[in-house]
């Protein structure tokens, strides 16, 4: 009887470890569901919208200008942030705030991206902490899941004028 109980217990633990490993790999390498909080991406992503983030793009270096990404925060490595890619390595970007009279520009260094929130007046982004290393990117947001009336692919940046083609 004890052997039967121990056998079932170890079998259950074995399945738990196996499925836990499969779930970990799926969430780490394929993607997952993310709840976004904060006003920095409004109006594209509202507070507490639920989105799907795929993680394959970061592994295959397929991140492009205009993509919305989930990134480990450069200020707090325990938290993630959601921002739009404005510039890739070698791109010229506007580093000043929209309200600044004189505009300043800089080039994104190799291995980095320039990130900004869509709500420029209420976003802590690369204008504050500078270019972000590509290795901090966790995934790319594909589409919005919730609320249902806004289900689908995300709209283009309301700040498209900040994308420089020089």
């Amino acid at each position: 009887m004890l052997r039967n109980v121990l056998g079932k217990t170890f079998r259950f633990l074995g399945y738990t470890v196996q499925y836990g490993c499969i779930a970990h790999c799926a969430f780490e390498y394929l993607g997952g569901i993310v709840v976004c909080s904060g006003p920095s991406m409004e109006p594209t992503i509202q507070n507490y919208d639920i989105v799907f983030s795929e993680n394959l793009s970061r592994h295959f270096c397929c991140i492009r200008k205009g993509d919305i990404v989930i990134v480990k925060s450069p200020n707090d490595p325990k938290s993630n942030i959601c921002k739009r890619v404005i510039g890739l390595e070698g791109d010229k970007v506007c580093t000043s705030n929209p309200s600044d009279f004189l505009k300043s520009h800089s080039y994104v260094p190799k291995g980095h991206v320039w990130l900004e929130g869509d709500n420029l007046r209420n976003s802590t982004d690369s204008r504050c902490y500078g270019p972000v290393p590509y290795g901090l990117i966790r995934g790319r947001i594909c589409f919005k899941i919730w609320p249902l009336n806004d289900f689908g692919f995300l709209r283009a940046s309301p700040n498209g004028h900040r994308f420089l083609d020089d």
Side-chain angles (χ1 to χ4, degrees), residues 4-162:
N4 189 21
V5 170
L6 284 174
K8 286 183 180 181
T9 302
F10 284 124
R11 204 170 313 121
F12 174 76
L13 288 173
Y15 286 132
T16 302
V17 169
Q18 283 177 343
Y19 292 122
C21 290
I22 291 169
H24 169 75
C25 289
F27 289 128
E28 180 67 23
Y29 296 103
L30 297 179
I33 295 172
V34 178
V35 178
C36 296
S37 62
S40 72
M41 285 303 293
E42 291 176 355
T44 309
I45 298 174
Q46 304 291 325
N47 202 16
Y48 299 114
D49 278 358
I50 300 174
V51 297
F52 179 76
S53 169
E54 62 86 12
N55 299 348
L56 290 174
S57 292
R58 72 183 172 113
H59 295 295
F60 295 113
C61 298
C62 296
I63 302 295
R64 296 177 303 213
K65 275 197 264 188
D67 287 346
I68 299 175
V69 293
I70 303 292
V71 181
K72 283 281 181 203
S73 172
N75 293 337
D76 178 14
K78 293 179 184 172
S79 66
N80 292 323
I81 58 174
C82 176
K83 304 291 179 200
R84 190 177 297 272
V85 177
I86 301 298
L88 301 169
E89 61 182 44
D91 287 345
K92 183 179 179 183
V93 292
C94 179
T95 58
S96 55
N97 290 312
S99 59
D100 293 348
F101 181 71
L102 294 174
K103 302 297 182 201
S104 59
H105 297 86
S106 181
Y107 287 93
V108 180
K110 186 174 175 90
H112 290 71
V113 293
W114 189 268
L115 304 174
E116 290 182 2
D118 285 354
N119 185 355
L120 292 175
R121 299 200 190 301
N122 197 4
S123 178
T124 303
D125 48 36
S126 287
R127 293 171 295 148
C128 298
Y129 43 71
V132 176
Y134 196 90
L136 292 183
I137 296 175
R138 306 300 305 145
R140 180 178 62 90
I141 294 180
C142 296
F143 55 88
K144 194 182 297 190
I145 297 172
W146 189 264
L148 285 177
N149 63 336
D150 213 7
F151 180 88
F153 294 101
L154 299 171
R155 63 180 79 127
S157 172
N159 305 312
H161 62 279
R162 291 187 60 88

